[in-house]
Amino acid sequence: MKALFEPEFIAVVGASNDERKIGHIVFSNLIRSNFKGTVYPINPKASEILGCKAYPSLTAVPGKVELVVICVPNTLVPSVMEESGIKGAEAVIVITAGFKELGKEGALLERKVGDIAKKYGMRVLGPNCMGIMNTHQRMNITFTNIHPMTGSIAIASQSGAVCSSMLDWSTKSKVGFSKFISVGNKVDIDEADLLSYLKDDPDTNVIGMYIEGANRGKELMSEAFRTSQVKPIIVLKSGRTSSGSKAASSHTGALSGSDKIYDAAFHQANVIRVNTIDELFDLLQVFANMPMPKGDGLAIVTNAGGHGVMAADACSDYGLRLASFEKSTIDKLKGYLPAAANLYNPVDVLGDATAARYEFAIKTVMEDPNVSCVAVLLAPLDTVDIKAVAEHVASFAGKVSMPVVGAFVGGTKTNVGIELMHEANVPCYDSPDKAIRALGAMVHYKKMREESGDTAPVVVEGDKQRVKDLIASVRRTGRTSLSESEGKEILRAYGVAIPAEITAATPEEAARAAARIGFPVVMKIDSPDIAHKSDVGGVMVGIGSESAVRQSFELMMSKVRSRVPGATINGITICQMVKGKEVLMGMTRDEQFGPVITFGLGGVFVEIMKDVAQRIAPLTRHDVDTMVRSIRSYAILTGARGGRAADIESLKDTIFRIAQIALDFPEISELEVNPVMVGDEGKGTYAVDALVVLRREN
Ligand code: COA
């Protein structure tokens, strides 16, 4: 990676004297960026390019070559790769397009490139990429004519088009980059590799990424987690499809689209996810230029009540708190501001505010111990000197120990202030919402980092052999779906509590079983062929007597037989009826990330409510705490409206056990327990149902 970002000897293969060629632009950018190392243009037809001696091939170069940049047509790339390996290059950037994005043949060509790189131990960026920049080394190896300023933001983007938008934005917003990386098709170097490098890069304070899809989800998560402990990562992930859910047969599967899995992964890795490119820009600006806030108390200073109210509203959306000022702060404000000014937060310095009035108010609120960040709002009223206010804020923001941002709301008139602030590297937005969102993201990041101290996954001991034997016996029958009782056997082997139950083959047996268990009971059809029992009349609850059990047995058998003819029926299971709140737990397996654990409100409306949260196993205590707390209906579990609090500790314990089953048995492709009954505090959590599906054997 050092050879990629900090090389001393670079060869550009396909460098050309023809100004229209990408090879020319890349080479000329490298020269124009004042790169201090040695550069070799490689072109069999030219003797000199832009004043540099050209060589017909890499092997003709007299000295060492650390980094090779390839700008020749795709079919020539493998041979240039071979030559690079022979020459001893350590890294290669393949700008050339025409690989896997073109389909099968392109994919084969791309694999060839990857294989050659492996053979020679070279790292490859691309193919189909725009190149890289390291502004601190004055190195621009791209074919864009925008040369960004030196700064502390590193950008990695999977899309060349997004790269060009970011570069253009950087010029307009006067934002500087440390590194700029177009990752392209990722035949070798991917986001995980880049994070591992950028984590220790002293020139980078914040990382912005545009990702369409990860190649190595697990590695991306762990590198992101390690990096986010040191510096913030802000990710714009596009492609919100749910292809992952298509093949799934359980509710859990339908509820865990691939985008939700990315959400879970980013959450667990303390990555800040944004949804739009504007949001990415806004957050990069504040993280790059402002110190981290010490707390979540915000002070707002405004010359317009309306904007103040909007900013105050946005506080709760973005996890900020309007700071309550000390009496001494209020007294000080009162002594200087006009009688009509609002002295409480938001401080309204009034429509006729001068820059001096703003200055006094900002300085005073910043001295208040309850204030950790400041938003300076401005409406372009005729009496306000926008330039003077901006100059004042720009003179100290970024140099004090708390973040200060502006929101100059308008357009034509306010632009002068926004530009002036940007010139001074002070984030200034065009709406209160954006300013509060940016500050909120800082508070959120700080909290995530502080709260995720416990990084050790919880490990549960289960009876592996029992589960292994059970899976083997199911495999022998040629099935991939387990019956409910088989599924429960697995849960039991891992210590999940199951209500007492007995499977009965006749109405008489059922009545005797119910008497043993105690009334009321639940009756459920036991069949490996029926996944959703209640849909076919296979579940009856609250049966209160032996005669009712006998009658229900006959009724259920005839219903199920007529609705699912040909299904194998083992009998009817008589279960202890447990009381509690219904939740759902489940697991699906994602190719990139591994076992995805789902938790949420249970019951028949689960797919409509979609009140679920996901995390990727292995799980830490923090993962499970945040997962359980994050569902909308969490208040129901803690005892909303005078209800009793549920046994949340045993609920979490059950989640860990399910995660452990998923980790210990990769052959289980799906698992769902719906409902899980969570009793009142101290009463335990019971798995009432179990749906387990095995991976198909090839
Ligand atoms: N070694 C060195 N130079 C070689 C060479 C070799 N083996 N074979 C050919 N060249 C020279 C050519 O002679 C030419 O130089 P010239 O102008 O002096 O004749 C130069 O390399 C380029 O080759 P050319 O055949 O003219 O290709 P091109 O410039 O039209 O296209 C790419 C090459 C890489 C730009 C093109 O294939 C491509 O991929 N374009 C898309 C790039 C892209 O979009 N990337 C992704 C961005 S996000």
Side-chain angles (χ1 to χ4, degrees):
M1 296 300 274
K2 199 164 183 297
L4 181 72
F5 285 105
E6 303 154 50
E8 281 183 52
F9 305 95
I10 308 176
V12 179
V13 181
S16 161
N17 278 315
D18 182 340
E19 289 179 8
R20 293 161 304 171
K21 299 262 174 92
I22 283 188
H24 174 89
I25 304 169
V26 169
F27 191 69
S28 95
N29 277 342
L30 187 51
I31 304 254
R32 278 174 52 204
S33 56
N34 285 326
F35 177 64
K36 290 285 172 276
T38 310
V39 292
Y40 302 109
I42 312 293
N43 185 316
K45 292 191 251 163
S47 57
E48 189 182 298
I49 297 173
L50 294 170
C52 300
K53 178 175 165 37
Y55 295 87
S57 67
L58 276 169
T59 40
V61 173
K64 183 177 169 185
V65 173
E66 280 173 287
L67 173 66
V68 175
V69 186
I70 303 183
C71 310
V72 291
N74 60 352
T75 49
L76 302 178
V77 173
S79 63
V80 180
M81 287 290 298
E82 281 284 353
E83 238 187 294
S84 307
I86 292 164
K87 183 69 191 162
E90 290 164 51
V92 181
I93 301 174
V94 185
I95 305 268
T96 312
F99 290 88
K100 78 171 178 209
E101 75 280 8
L102 287 193
K104 224 171 166 185
E105 251 177 61
L108 277 176
L109 194 63
E110 188 165 317
R111 194 168 316 146
K112 216 170 178 180
V113 169
D115 290 346
I116 299 170
K118 265 199 204 111
K119 187 168 88 181
Y120 291 101
M122 299 182 288
R123 300 305 314 257
V124 186
L125 183 71
N128 188 25
C129 76
M130 207 174 177
I132 64 165
M133 296 182 196
N134 179 350
T135 58
H136 292 263
Q137 300 268 328
R138 299 183 177 195
M139 186 182 87
N140 178 349
I141 317 182
T142 70
F143 56 88
T144 161
N145 58 7
I146 301 174
H147 295 260
M149 296 185 308
T150 302
S152 61
I153 301 174
I155 294 285
S157 166
Q158 204 175 337
S159 148
V162 173
C163 280
S164 59
S165 302
M166 297 222 193
L167 285 166
D168 199 28
W169 165 76
S170 75
T171 330
K172 177 182 164 244
S173 307
K174 312 282 189 290
V175 164
F177 293 137
S178 55
K179 307 282 183 298
F180 190 87
I181 311 125
S182 161
V183 292
N185 291 5
K186 301 189 272 196
V187 67
D188 172 32
I189 294 172
D190 63 7
E191 290 85 359
D193 295 311
L194 293 174
L195 285 176
S196 147
Y197 175 84
L198 293 170
K199 172 168 68 65
D200 301 321
D201 176 25
D203 299 326
T204 299
N205 288 343
V206 50
I207 300 164
M209 289 189 148
Y210 170 77
I211 299 181
E212 281 165 8
N215 286 359
R216 301 180 299 150
K218 278 269 171 213
E219 288 78 1
L220 176 63
M221 261 181 93
S222 39
E223 286 301 343
F225 183 82
R226 277 194 282 273
T227 308
S228 64
Q229 295 299 105
V230 185
K231 48 190 85 167
I233 307 167
I234 307 165
V235 168
L236 174 59
K237 154 82 180 60
S238 66
R240 296 171 165 269
T241 56
S242 54
S243 53
S245 65
K246 272 185 208 147
S249 58
S250 62
H251 293 297
T252 313
L255 289 164
S256 57
S258 66
D259 198 60
K260 273 196 166 272
I261 296 168
Y262 275 97
D263 257 350
F266 291 148
H267 195 286
Q268 281 172 270
N270 293 342
V271 166
I272 304 159
R273 183 175 185 175
V274 293
N275 292 322
T276 66
I277 197 156
D278 285 352
E279 204 181 338
L280 178 65
F281 292 159
D282 290 349
L283 298 202
L284 286 173
Q285 228 173 359
V286 79
F287 277 105
N289 296 310
M290 288 293 131
M292 288 301 290
K294 294 197 173 56
D296 60 358
L298 167 77
I300 299 169
V301 177
T302 178
N303 68 344
H307 292 318
V309 176
M310 281 188 258
D313 281 348
C315 272
S316 60
D317 293 342
Y318 300 116
L320 286 174
R321 209 172 31 82
L322 267 191
S324 333
F325 297 146
E326 297 287 315
K327 186 174 173 303
S328 55
T329 306
I330 310 272
D331 289 345
K332 208 165 166 193
L333 290 170
K334 192 189 251 168
Y336 185 87
L337 298 181
N342 183 29
L343 310 174
Y344 300 87
N345 207 0
V347 179
D348 186 347
V349 290
L350 300 179
D352 61 351
T354 55
R357 212 186 277 168
Y358 260 107
E359 201 172 323
F360 181 84
I362 296 168
K363 191 165 169 284
T364 307
V365 296
M366 275 176 39
E367 282 165 4
D368 190 292
N370 306 305
V371 173
S372 293
C373 49
V374 180
V376 180
L377 315 184
L378 179 143
L381 297 157
D382 284 346
T383 42
V384 69
D385 183 343
I386 298 173
K387 200 164 159 263
V389 175
E391 270 167 357
H392 167 63
V393 178
S395 70
F396 71 87
K399 298 179 194 92
V400 289
S401 62
M402 68 176 71
V404 179
V405 303
F408 285 20
V409 193
T412 325
K413 284 185 175 179
T414 46
N415 263 349
V416 55
I418 293 179
E419 277 171 21
L420 216 146
M421 299 259 262
H422 285 170
E423 208 70 65
N425 292 329
V426 178
C428 189
Y429 306 98
D430 57 9
S431 80
D433 190 80
K434 287 181 184 172
I436 306 304
R437 182 175 65 186
L439 290 171
M442 291 191 111
V443 169
H444 173 63
Y445 169 67
K446 182 173 174 286
K447 269 197 192 144
M448 280 201 297
R449 235 167 79 164
E450 284 168 358
E451 285 173 6
S452 65
D454 161 29
T455 53
V458 172
V459 179
V460 178
E461 284 298 322
D463 187 346
K464 273 194 194 162
Q465 194 54 45
R466 200 162 133 201
V467 178
K468 238 186 211 165
D469 293 346
L470 190 131
I471 291 177
S473 78
V474 172
R475 287 276 192 219
R476 279 195 293 276
T477 66
R479 283 183 289 133
T480 52
S481 295
L482 275 66
S483 70
E484 182 186 330
S485 53
E486 288 164 338
K488 281 183 175 166
E489 186 64 24
I490 292 180
L491 295 175
R492 233 183 248 119
Y494 273 71
V496 176
I498 312 279
E501 60 180 35
I502 302 167
T503 300
T506 65
E508 260 328 300
E509 266 180 48
R512 275 201 303 275
R516 275 235 313 270
I517 287 169
F519 292 99
V521 293
V522 178
M523 296 176 66
K524 287 193 288 191
I525 199 80
D526 180 0
S527 163
D529 301 325
I530 299 168
H532 298 298
K533 298 179 211 48
S534 46
D535 294 353
V536 295
V539 180
M540 293 171 89
V541 297
I543 317 289
S545 68
E546 287 187 36
S547 62
V549 168
R550 281 188 209 96
Q551 267 176 17
S552 305
F553 190 100
E554 306 277 11
L555 186 70
M556 186 181 291
M557 277 294 187
S558 72
K559 253 195 204 163
V560 172
R561 287 220 164 95
S562 72
R563 290 185 187 170
V564 198
T568 304
I569 294 173
N570 300 328
I572 288 176
T573 308
I574 312 300
C575 312
Q576 171 195 357
M577 191 157 151
V578 285
K579 286 200 196 117
K581 300 191 167 77
E582 273 190 39
V583 298
L584 161 149
M585 293 178 194
M587 183 281 299
T588 48
R589 219 167 268 283
D590 183 79
E591 238 178 69
Q592 289 299 326
F593 293 99
V596 182
I597 308 298
T598 299
F599 161 76
L601 192 68
V604 286
F605 298 123
V606 60
E607 280 188 40
I608 297 167
M609 302 302 289
K610 291 194 170 67
D611 189 13
V612 294
Q614 262 129 6
R615 294 289 183 270
I616 293 155
L619 302 172
T620 64
R621 288 209 175 277
H622 177 69
D623 292 335
V624 172
D625 286 345
T626 57
M627 168 156 75
V628 172
R629 265 191 277 129
S630 69
I631 62 166
R632 290 195 304 278
S633 36
Y634 179 62
I636 299 176
L637 294 176
T638 54
R641 305 199 60 123
R644 290 189 189 198
D647 196 344
I648 293 175
E649 280 316 305
S650 71
L651 176 157
K652 289 181 191 167
D653 177 73
T654 310
I655 296 177
F656 285 123
R657 291 176 191 280
I658 287 176
Q660 192 69 52
I661 296 171
L663 290 167
D664 288 352
F665 295 94
E667 57 267 59
I668 298 180
S669 62
E670 258 182 85
L671 186 156
E672 182 172 280
V673 190
N674 181 25
V676 175
M677 299 300 268
V678 192
D680 293 344
E681 230 163 356
K683 294 272 186 323
T685 291
Y686 288 87
V688 174
D689 196 356
L691 185 154
V692 177
V693 180
L694 301 179
R695 200 181 49 213
R696 289 194 181 282
E697 282 179 314
N698 298 327

